[in-house]
Amino acid sequence: MTNATTVREAVVRFLRDTGMTTVFGNPGSTELRMFRDWPDDFTYVLGLQESVAVGMAAGHALGTRRAAFVSLHSAGGVGHALGAVFNAFRDRVPLVIVAGQQARSLIQLRPFLGADEPALFPRPYVKYARQPERAEDVPAVLAEAYRLAMTPPRGPAFVSVPEDDWDRPAEPVAPRTLYSEFTAAPAALAALAARLENCARPALVVGPGVADEDAQEPVRALAERIRAGVWISPLSGRSGFPEPHPLFQGFLPPVARQLAERLAPYDLVVALGAPLFTYHVADGGPPLAPGTELFHLDCDPAQAAWLPTGTSIVTTLRPALTQLLGLLREPHRAPPPPRPAPPPAGAAGHITPELVFDLLHTRLPRDRVLVEEAPSHRDTLHARVPIASSGGFLTTGSGALGWGLPLAVGRALADRRRVVCVVGDGSALYAVQALWTAARHTAPVTYVLLDNGGYAAVRALGRRIGVAPVPGTHIAGIDFPALAESLGCPAARAEHPGELPAALDHALDRGDDAGPFLLHLAMTDGADTLYEPWAR
């Protein structure tokens, strides 16, 4: 028995075979045995809070297009991480999450740090959750979790491992080949092709699934073939269409009546990888205007089931779009006019988001990834910083704050290209510990922190529904540059418009080996613009 492979050795071999050699976590007592004889070819990325570890792992997974491995600590650590797990689930990020559990011999005694019903705790925001019945089952259960995490729709999978399992004997598990693309029936795609050829005014709505499945190029080809206007789905967590393209029309609002009005000019709408009806504000409006027909293509049968209207085709996107393009002829219709560009930012005595984003647009290299978590200014950023490259924009599609800072760290570590993260002061404080990890791993991230003194998006929404003032939405007295520097991240500040061009140049023009940098910008409360573009 002394020569038998242990659970730990079998798991390490599986992680190596699947490329999950970067481990994100925050260690605790019930994980210690997992770290015995830690392999030299593995990298442990420490997050100072568990949600930070999950956010960094998500950024790494999006950058590598592979599942990332996360180590969490029992019930308390899983609880800390659940907000980020929720984001990963809604944003279809493949994660393999392993949580420590107390020893099997103690579980019946409700021990200190033990997790009651650990497989139920992270649900419903994981695709799979299990604590193996036997120690020798751990490698096989982990392999199953990995395969489910990587199967469309991708997402997090969870395994709870009692701490005394790691030294028990177990057989190694070899990775299996997984072909995860599947295509709709030819008859369904032929019916859609016929409708596209016969309609008068088609539109495409591009969702985060397009970027997740790396389908931006066939979507562009489809839009050009049928001369359709292209919209981004409400509150999408990723980019899926080149925004400088003349067919691009803008971003749909997360309000039912306004969304239906935007799509009312079209007689046929095709939603691609998009949960089209993502609402943030209830107004009692209909999903679509009369006369607008919907087709919906997505790999998730559950999403197809809850859509309130339209025809759903359950399929992965790339093979379906390839077949669809082969069925379509060039139509005799004019393309829609391009959307107008916003006017340049006007002069002001203070720094405005319009000025920041105009200057950022001229300075942001095309191949850079932009991460955003500044809800007060998201619409302004979208209007003034068009994203051209696939995977060039990342944010949370579900709204749980504390995602942006660690997501940017993990994304930067994936390929060591500088990432730019635009973040609000309120959002930054949910996960400011990520700056410590960024500094320790020399992650090439430039943080542009827009400080408007609190949770301005909540204040703005309160004003619009007649709740003012909103308690607990003001934050004051935090020296963000000093805080960043105490965590090892160099920082600077700008308070006047004349300082901004040079400050942005200094923050952005840094080599990919220069590590993180934070630029703090003093803003007025610009959240009065929140929802304003939706209301037009």
Side-chain angles (χ1 to χ4, degrees), residues 269 276-277 287-288 292-296 304-305 307-313:
V269 172
L276 178 57
F277 306 110
L288 293 172
T292 300
E293 182 182 3
L294 172 67
F295 276 78
H296 169 248
L307 286 185
T309 188
T311 299
S312 287
I313 300 176

Side-chain angles (χ1 to χ4, degrees), residues 445-492:
V445 184
T446 292
Y447 293 101
V448 180
L449 192 150
L450 309 180
D451 186 353
N452 53 25
Y455 306 121
V458 179
R459 292 200 295 262
L461 181 58
R463 288 193 289 269
R464 277 150 185 77
I465 65 174
V467 179
V470 180
T473 57
H474 289 273
I475 303 171
I478 298 173
D479 188 336
F480 281 97
L483 179 58
E485 289 178 347
S486 74
L487 294 169
C489 175

